[in-house]
Amino acid sequence: MPALNSGLVLVTGGTGYVGAWVIKYLVDNGYDVVAAVRTAAQGDFLTNRFPAYSGRVSHAVVPDISKEGAYDDAVKDVDAIIHVASPLLYSWEDPQEVIGPAVAGTSGILKSATTYGAKVQRVIITSSASAVCGFMTDKEYDENDWNLADLNTEHTKTSSPLAVYNTAKTRAEKAAFDYVRATQPRYDLVTLLPAFNFGPYIHQPGKHFGSSPGALLAAFPVGGETSGALVAGFVDVRDSALLHVLALKNAELSGERLINANGVFAWQDLYDILNEAGYDAPGKDTKGAGEKKHMKLLLRNNKTFKYFPDFKYRGLKESVLDMAVDLKSGGYLT
């Protein structure tokens, strides 16, 4: 695919934490956007979010992304697709409520692009660093790795939400590459694999904040996590979103996977940052304990700098403090 420096881009998941930033950076970089949303009200919020959006952002209502042909109309006349949408639920009766829509939505948008997206040149799918690896595995990982453990796990009602999410993202990304290999469509495929996203938010969160900030807030009641049960990669949500836009501009990325991460963290690291800044976070008696866990996991981000040598990731402290300001003003964090 030649570099795509302008045009109309379909963004799914634009009402979410990452997707809203993707839309902002697309507009800032001269693209027009059609956002696939579940309701007209969500679409109205997006199209009115910033003054610069006037005449640049429209929306298409897609109530159920797992429905056959859900994106058939939305892909018409667009030059590229950025598929961010994926379920993230912290409770469910059946793990297939998460896994099924993730796989069906990803496969479905590729099928729609093949049949009805005559102008589509590139599809970018937001996968996850969890599709490369799980947690606490004492190994160095890059884009050649796949999370085979979660890929091959059949989950039950008692499975952890994060494990189910990992499986959903891994299976969805695998399905995307399998489809492209089998059908050889006119467009090319790129997948981006962000780690835990932290940073400020510009979308309209619900009562229970989802995404990575929601995972942090959900961890607060259990106190400071210092056992090493979770060590994962992190990326600032603004950096993650910008990389989606840069991926449209780079012709050499065709067929690539790209990890978006700037290091690893334990929950205690976040608590330390928040406590130092005067927030009432857990882990006051275990300050610094998270640092002992960092060598348990290493995500290599070399490919980011191979394709974007001038790119600079934000650090964890900046991301967490900027996020905390928004969470506090939104009433999520004291």
Short mmCIF file of all heavy atoms in Angstrom, two decimals, residues 11-23 35-38 46 65 71 82-86 203:
data_model
loop_
_atom_site.label_atom_id
_atom_site.label_comp_id
_atom_site.label_asym_id
_atom_site.label_seq_id
_atom_site.Cartn_x
_atom_site.Cartn_y
_atom_site.Cartn_z
N VAL A 11 -13.40 4.45 11.69
CA VAL A 11 -12.86 4.07 13.00
C VAL A 11 -13.95 3.38 13.79
O VAL A 11 -15.03 3.95 14.00
CB VAL A 11 -12.35 5.29 13.78
CG1 VAL A 11 -11.84 4.86 15.16
CG2 VAL A 11 -11.24 6.01 13.00
N THR A 12 -13.71 2.15 14.20
CA THR A 12 -14.63 1.47 15.11
C THR A 12 -14.12 1.66 16.54
O THR A 12 -12.93 1.85 16.76
CB THR A 12 -14.73 -0.02 14.80
OG1 THR A 12 -13.53 -0.68 15.23
CG2 THR A 12 -14.93 -0.27 13.31
N GLY A 13 -15.02 1.62 17.50
CA GLY A 13 -14.59 1.81 18.88
C GLY A 13 -14.21 3.23 19.20
O GLY A 13 -13.50 3.49 20.19
N GLY A 14 -14.67 4.19 18.40
CA GLY A 14 -14.29 5.58 18.60
C GLY A 14 -14.88 6.20 19.85
O GLY A 14 -14.44 7.28 20.26
N THR A 15 -15.85 5.55 20.46
CA THR A 15 -16.41 6.07 21.71
C THR A 15 -15.63 5.58 22.92
O THR A 15 -15.96 5.91 24.05
CB THR A 15 -17.89 5.66 21.86
OG1 THR A 15 -17.98 4.23 21.84
CG2 THR A 15 -18.73 6.23 20.74
N GLY A 16 -14.60 4.78 22.70
CA GLY A 16 -13.81 4.22 23.79
C GLY A 16 -12.57 5.04 24.09
O GLY A 16 -12.26 6.05 23.45
N TYR A 17 -11.85 4.57 25.07
CA TYR A 17 -10.67 5.26 25.61
C TYR A 17 -9.61 5.50 24.54
O TYR A 17 -9.14 6.63 24.35
CB TYR A 17 -10.13 4.41 26.76
CG TYR A 17 -8.94 4.95 27.52
CD1 TYR A 17 -8.87 6.28 27.92
CD2 TYR A 17 -7.90 4.10 27.87
CE1 TYR A 17 -7.78 6.74 28.65
CE2 TYR A 17 -6.82 4.55 28.59
CZ TYR A 17 -6.76 5.88 28.99
OH TYR A 17 -5.68 6.34 29.71
N VAL A 18 -9.22 4.44 23.83
CA VAL A 18 -8.20 4.57 22.79
C VAL A 18 -8.79 5.16 21.52
O VAL A 18 -8.21 6.06 20.91
CB VAL A 18 -7.55 3.20 22.49
CG1 VAL A 18 -6.54 3.32 21.36
CG2 VAL A 18 -6.90 2.62 23.73
N GLY A 19 -9.97 4.69 21.14
CA GLY A 19 -10.56 5.10 19.87
C GLY A 19 -10.82 6.59 19.76
O GLY A 19 -10.65 7.18 18.69
N ALA A 20 -11.23 7.22 20.86
CA ALA A 20 -11.48 8.65 20.82
C ALA A 20 -10.20 9.42 20.53
O ALA A 20 -10.20 10.41 19.76
CB ALA A 20 -12.09 9.12 22.15
N TRP A 21 -9.09 8.99 21.12
CA TRP A 21 -7.81 9.62 20.82
C TRP A 21 -7.39 9.37 19.38
O TRP A 21 -6.79 10.24 18.73
CB TRP A 21 -6.73 9.12 21.77
CG TRP A 21 -6.74 9.81 23.11
CD1 TRP A 21 -7.15 9.30 24.31
CD2 TRP A 21 -6.30 11.14 23.39
NE1 TRP A 21 -7.00 10.22 25.32
CE2 TRP A 21 -6.48 11.37 24.79
CE3 TRP A 21 -5.77 12.17 22.61
CZ2 TRP A 21 -6.15 12.58 25.39
CZ3 TRP A 21 -5.44 13.38 23.22
CH2 TRP A 21 -5.63 13.57 24.59
N VAL A 22 -7.67 8.18 18.85
CA VAL A 22 -7.35 7.89 17.45
C VAL A 22 -8.07 8.88 16.54
O VAL A 22 -7.47 9.44 15.61
CB VAL A 22 -7.74 6.44 17.10
CG1 VAL A 22 -7.65 6.22 15.59
CG2 VAL A 22 -6.84 5.45 17.83
N ILE A 23 -9.35 9.12 16.81
CA ILE A 23 -10.11 10.07 15.99
C ILE A 23 -9.50 11.46 16.08
O ILE A 23 -9.34 12.15 15.06
CB ILE A 23 -11.58 10.08 16.41
CG1 ILE A 23 -12.24 8.75 16.04
CG2 ILE A 23 -12.33 11.25 15.76
CD1 ILE A 23 -13.67 8.62 16.51
N ALA A 35 -17.10 7.46 12.18
CA ALA A 35 -16.99 6.63 13.38
C ALA A 35 -18.15 5.64 13.43
O ALA A 35 -19.32 6.05 13.33
CB ALA A 35 -17.00 7.50 14.63
N ALA A 36 -17.84 4.37 13.57
CA ALA A 36 -18.88 3.36 13.76
C ALA A 36 -19.25 3.34 15.24
O ALA A 36 -18.40 3.09 16.09
CB ALA A 36 -18.38 1.99 13.31
N VAL A 37 -20.52 3.61 15.54
CA VAL A 37 -20.98 3.71 16.92
C VAL A 37 -22.22 2.84 17.11
O VAL A 37 -22.90 2.49 16.15
CB VAL A 37 -21.31 5.17 17.29
CG1 VAL A 37 -20.05 6.03 17.25
CG2 VAL A 37 -22.37 5.75 16.35
N ARG A 38 -22.50 2.51 18.36
CA ARG A 38 -23.67 1.66 18.63
C ARG A 38 -24.97 2.44 18.61
O ARG A 38 -26.01 1.88 18.30
CB ARG A 38 -23.50 0.96 19.99
CG ARG A 38 -22.42 -0.11 20.00
CD ARG A 38 -22.48 -0.94 21.28
NE ARG A 38 -22.31 -0.12 22.47
CZ ARG A 38 -21.15 0.20 23.01
NH1 ARG A 38 -20.04 -0.20 22.43
NH2 ARG A 38 -21.08 0.94 24.10
N LEU A 46 -19.43 12.31 19.69
CA LEU A 46 -18.14 12.33 19.00
C LEU A 46 -18.05 13.48 18.01
O LEU A 46 -17.04 14.20 17.96
CB LEU A 46 -17.91 11.01 18.28
CG LEU A 46 -17.33 9.86 19.09
CD1 LEU A 46 -17.16 8.63 18.20
CD2 LEU A 46 -16.00 10.23 19.71
N ILE A 65 -21.64 -5.41 16.50
CA ILE A 65 -20.51 -5.65 15.62
C ILE A 65 -20.35 -7.12 15.27
O ILE A 65 -19.65 -7.46 14.30
CB ILE A 65 -19.20 -5.13 16.24
CG1 ILE A 65 -18.80 -5.94 17.49
CG2 ILE A 65 -19.30 -3.66 16.58
CD1 ILE A 65 -17.43 -5.57 18.04
N TYR A 71 -20.84 -4.27 9.10
CA TYR A 71 -20.10 -3.12 8.59
C TYR A 71 -20.24 -2.92 7.08
O TYR A 71 -19.53 -2.10 6.51
CB TYR A 71 -18.61 -3.30 8.92
CG TYR A 71 -18.29 -3.20 10.39
CD1 TYR A 71 -17.90 -4.33 11.12
CD2 TYR A 71 -18.35 -1.99 11.06
CE1 TYR A 71 -17.58 -4.24 12.47
CE2 TYR A 71 -18.03 -1.89 12.41
CZ TYR A 71 -17.66 -3.02 13.11
OH TYR A 71 -17.34 -2.93 14.45
N ILE A 82 -9.61 1.66 10.70
CA ILE A 82 -8.91 1.40 11.95
C ILE A 82 -9.92 0.76 12.89
O ILE A 82 -10.86 1.41 13.36
CB ILE A 82 -8.32 2.68 12.56
CG1 ILE A 82 -7.30 3.30 11.59
CG2 ILE A 82 -7.66 2.38 13.90
CD1 ILE A 82 -6.65 4.58 12.11
N HIS A 83 -9.73 -0.53 13.15
CA HIS A 83 -10.70 -1.31 13.92
C HIS A 83 -10.22 -1.43 15.36
O HIS A 83 -9.41 -2.29 15.70
CB HIS A 83 -10.87 -2.69 13.29
CG HIS A 83 -11.84 -3.58 14.00
ND1 HIS A 83 -13.14 -3.21 14.27
CD2 HIS A 83 -11.71 -4.85 14.48
CE1 HIS A 83 -13.77 -4.20 14.90
NE2 HIS A 83 -12.91 -5.20 15.04
N VAL A 84 -10.72 -0.53 16.21
CA VAL A 84 -10.32 -0.50 17.61
C VAL A 84 -11.30 -1.29 18.48
O VAL A 84 -10.93 -1.82 19.53
CB VAL A 84 -10.23 0.95 18.12
CG1 VAL A 84 -9.71 1.01 19.55
CG2 VAL A 84 -9.34 1.80 17.20
N ALA A 85 -12.55 -1.38 18.06
CA ALA A 85 -13.62 -1.93 18.89
C ALA A 85 -13.35 -3.37 19.31
O ALA A 85 -12.97 -4.21 18.49
CB ALA A 85 -14.95 -1.86 18.14
N SER A 86 -13.55 -3.64 20.60
CA SER A 86 -13.47 -4.99 21.14
C SER A 86 -14.09 -4.97 22.53
O SER A 86 -13.86 -4.02 23.29
CB SER A 86 -12.03 -5.47 21.22
OG SER A 86 -11.97 -6.84 21.59
N HIS A 203 -12.95 10.57 25.87
CA HIS A 203 -14.23 9.97 25.50
C HIS A 203 -15.22 10.21 26.64
O HIS A 203 -14.95 10.96 27.57
CB HIS A 203 -14.06 8.48 25.21
CG HIS A 203 -13.76 7.64 26.41
ND1 HIS A 203 -12.70 7.90 27.26
CD2 HIS A 203 -14.37 6.55 26.93
CE1 HIS A 203 -12.67 7.00 28.23
NE2 HIS A 203 -13.69 6.18 28.06
#
